[in-house]
Amino acid sequence: MKWTVIYDTFLHVIRTIRATRLRSFLTIMIIALGITALVGILTSIEAIKVSLKNNFMLMGSNTFTITKISFQREGLLVRKKKKIQEKKITLEEAQDFKDRFDFPAVVSLSVPVQFAAVCKYENIKTHPNVSVYAVDENYFLTAGLEISEGRNFTKREVDGGQVAIIGNDVNNKLFSQFSNSSVIGRTFLISNIPFQIIGILKPQGSSFGFSMDNSCFVPLKTGIDKFTVSDVSLSIHVMVYQLEQMNFAIEEARGIFRNIRKLAPDHPDNFEIRKSDSIFQILLENIQYLTMAATLIGVITLIGASIGLMNIMLVSVSERTREIGVRKALGATWKDIRNQFLLESVFISQFGGLLGILLGIVVGNAIGLWLDTVFVIPWLWVGVAFLLTSMVGILAGSYPALKASKLHPIDALRYE
């Protein structure tokens, strides 16, 4: 098709939109709404994926974790069928494993002791949303966390020291007035329990609104004793030195922990071993449900928009019947008429699509900003949205375009 024909068609589209402002506006906005929902949700999902990937890369692909067994994904029936009883990992079991695991790797122990603690220094308090973890001296290495100021726990302190390492947000909240002097050595309160600060974590960022910067870390036994944690289940983290030895390390750890728990050879494991990348894959699988929901919302909205667009095009054919007769009388073929109305439908659809893509990127990254994730542009889904709006334009405009192209010139010229 020649560029002059496309230009003339574009002018016809502008005239059609002006002649049916309200209907065209509503159709464009319906298409834009569907694309905004699709691109917006998928943009935020992509931002979350990138943030998750970065966080798990910090932990490292050479790390695995031993935790109590979870039946959330398998369900109660599978649990009963396997005859597995839920059993938490005690401090004695975790410490025994750490002492017996003779493999070229680093082993650390941790347990969350509070998720809504209040930290206080003099008259300054934090919000009651500080997470407190009881950890050993190897935890920061296996978790990929760095100490920017101060030092790590010693083995002696892990057994009962009254010291703490704080996150960057806690430091800024309590000690912003001491910017010119170090806070190392100062004593503050965690849930009214005094601790001496020996270290400050390097800023880590956050995911899903959760931040390691808004956390405090205390020695393992101190945290369990001071915060009166009952029925606690520890997590055991293992970071192997060589990635190719990961599977051997997992099987070695499985054998040792089964022996610690005195499991018979025919009994299944009553604990779980997960690689850091497998946890990442589980989270991605759960996120796929959001992707499916966003796609379904977008498709349903676009179906409604295509019906509205078809209605506009049918009205346009009816209102321009004499124009079609004149064009055919002057030599226009049925293909010219068909292509004109088809392109009009595609142009209107693309107006709504481009508006929806822009709004979707803005909305999606606004959600990502709220969750403290990175800015992304999902180019794949932008392309998908562009193709969807083109398909909507073609499908919605096909019947009106064919109807217009089949009009007899004499009947069209006599149309009132």
Side-chain angles (χ1 to χ4, degrees):
M1 184 179 294
K2 296 181 180 180
W3 287 109
T4 54
V5 177
I6 296 178
Y7 178 73
D8 291 339
T9 302
F10 180 76
L11 293 180
H12 278 299
V13 173
I14 300 300
R15 286 197 294 268
T16 301
I17 293 176
R18 287 178 177 176
T20 58
R21 289 184 180 89
L22 181 59
R23 287 176 298 184
S24 299
F25 175 76
L26 290 176
T27 303
I28 290 174
M29 291 309 298
I30 291 174
I31 294 174
L33 179 63
I35 296 300
T36 299
L38 180 65
V39 176
I41 296 176
L42 295 174
T43 299
S44 60
I45 290 174
E46 288 299 320
I48 291 171
K49 285 182 179 179
V50 172
S51 181
L52 280 175
K53 184 177 181 181
N54 292 338
N55 288 338
F56 276 95
M57 283 180 65
L58 289 176
M59 183 181 293
S61 58
N62 59 337
T63 304
F64 64 90
T65 304
I66 304 175
T67 61
K68 69 174 183 177
I69 195 165
S70 172
F71 301 97
Q72 294 179 354
R73 293 203 302 158
E74 294 181 337
L76 182 60
L77 293 177
V78 176
R79 174 181 176 179
K80 289 182 177 179
K81 183 178 180 181
K82 291 183 177 180
K83 298 180 180 180
I84 301 176
Q85 297 295 324
E86 182 176 353
K87 186 178 181 182
K88 298 183 178 181
I89 299 177
T90 65
L91 176 61
E92 292 74 19
E93 289 176 335
Q95 190 61 57
D96 191 11
F97 175 86
K98 183 178 180 180
D99 296 336
R100 294 171 59 178
F101 189 66
D102 186 16
F103 199 89
V106 178
V107 180
S108 71
L109 313 178
S110 71
V111 59
V113 291
Q114 274 199 5
F115 288 110
V118 175
C119 297
K120 180 180 179 181
Y121 180 77
E122 295 181 347
N123 295 324
I124 304 174
K125 293 182 179 180
T126 66
H127 295 295
N129 62 351
V130 178
S131 300
V132 183
Y133 297 89
V135 301
D136 67 359
E137 74 281 2
N138 294 331
Y139 175 77
F140 299 102
L141 179 59
T142 60
L145 302 177
E146 297 182 24
I147 298 174
S148 61
E149 184 179 350
R151 62 175 177 84
N152 192 8
F153 298 127
T154 64
K155 290 185 178 181
R156 185 174 180 178
E157 288 171 338
V158 170
D159 293 331
Q162 201 83 2
V163 293
I165 296 173
I166 62 176
N168 187 65
D169 290 350
V170 177
N171 176 45
N172 293 336
K173 177 65 177 179
L174 297 181
F175 305 104
S176 58
Q177 72 271 31
F178 301 107
S179 57
N180 296 327
S181 60
S182 175
V183 301
I184 302 300
R186 298 181 186 272
T187 299
F188 76 119
L189 302 178
I190 304 177
S191 297
N192 293 321
I193 303 173
F195 286 92
Q196 184 184 42
I197 300 173
I198 64 169
I200 302 173
L201 278 185
K202 182 179 179 181
Q204 303 296 321
S206 63
S207 295
F208 298 101
F210 172 77
S211 175
M212 294 298 287
D213 295 331
N214 195 41
S215 303
C216 293
F217 300 86
V218 298
L220 186 62
K221 290 186 178 180
T222 302
I224 296 175
D225 295 337
K226 295 293 183 179
F227 292 93
T228 61
V229 180
S230 61
D231 201 22
V232 65
S233 180
L234 277 76
S235 296
I236 304 172
H237 315 278
V238 181
M239 184 179 73
V240 298
Y241 293 134
Q242 297 180 353
L243 183 60
E244 57 270 18
Q245 294 183 331
M246 172 69 77
N247 292 332
F248 296 104
I250 290 176
E251 293 307 314
E252 178 75 11
R254 190 189 308 277
I256 292 176
F257 206 66
R258 284 180 60 88
N259 183 265
I260 291 173
R261 290 201 156 182
K262 298 179 174 56
L263 293 176
D266 58 337
H267 285 186
D269 295 340
N270 58 0
F271 55 90
E272 283 187 336
I273 298 181
R274 287 184 178 178
K275 299 180 184 178
S276 58
D277 57 352
S278 67
I279 299 175
F280 175 63
Q281 292 300 324
I282 291 171
L283 292 174
L284 288 185
E285 289 175 5
N286 293 330
I287 290 176
Q288 295 306 317
Y289 293 111
L290 292 177
T291 305
M292 294 170 60
T295 305
L296 182 61
I297 292 172
V299 169
I300 292 175
T301 308
L302 289 177
I303 290 175
S306 64
I307 295 174
L309 181 57
M310 182 181 294
N311 178 61
I312 285 182
M313 295 308 299
L314 287 173
V315 172
S316 179
V317 171
S318 178
E319 292 176 346
R320 295 160 58 188
T321 300
R322 287 180 63 84
E323 175 192 329
I324 295 170
V326 171
R327 292 195 62 191
K328 282 198 170 185
L330 293 176
T333 64
W334 69 273
K335 288 184 179 180
D336 295 331
I337 303 298
R338 181 200 64 186
N339 292 339
Q340 174 189 335
F341 282 88
L342 199 57
L343 283 175
E344 286 183 16
S345 177
V346 172
F347 279 145
I348 292 176
S349 179
Q350 286 300 327
F351 286 155
L354 291 174
L355 179 60
I357 289 172
L358 292 176
L359 290 176
I361 293 175
V362 172
V363 171
N365 281 289
I367 296 174
L369 181 64
W370 178 63
L371 295 173
D372 293 325
T373 59
V374 296
F375 180 88
V376 297
I377 298 178
W379 293 109
L380 173 62
W381 292 108
V382 168
V384 170
F386 181 81
L387 291 176
L388 283 176
T389 51
S390 298
M391 290 176 59
V392 166
I394 293 173
L395 294 175
S398 295
Y399 175 69
L402 288 174
K403 182 179 179 180
S405 65
K406 290 181 179 180
L407 289 174
H408 195 279
I410 296 177
D411 294 334
L413 286 172
R414 292 189 310 181
Y415 182 79
E416 295 294 338

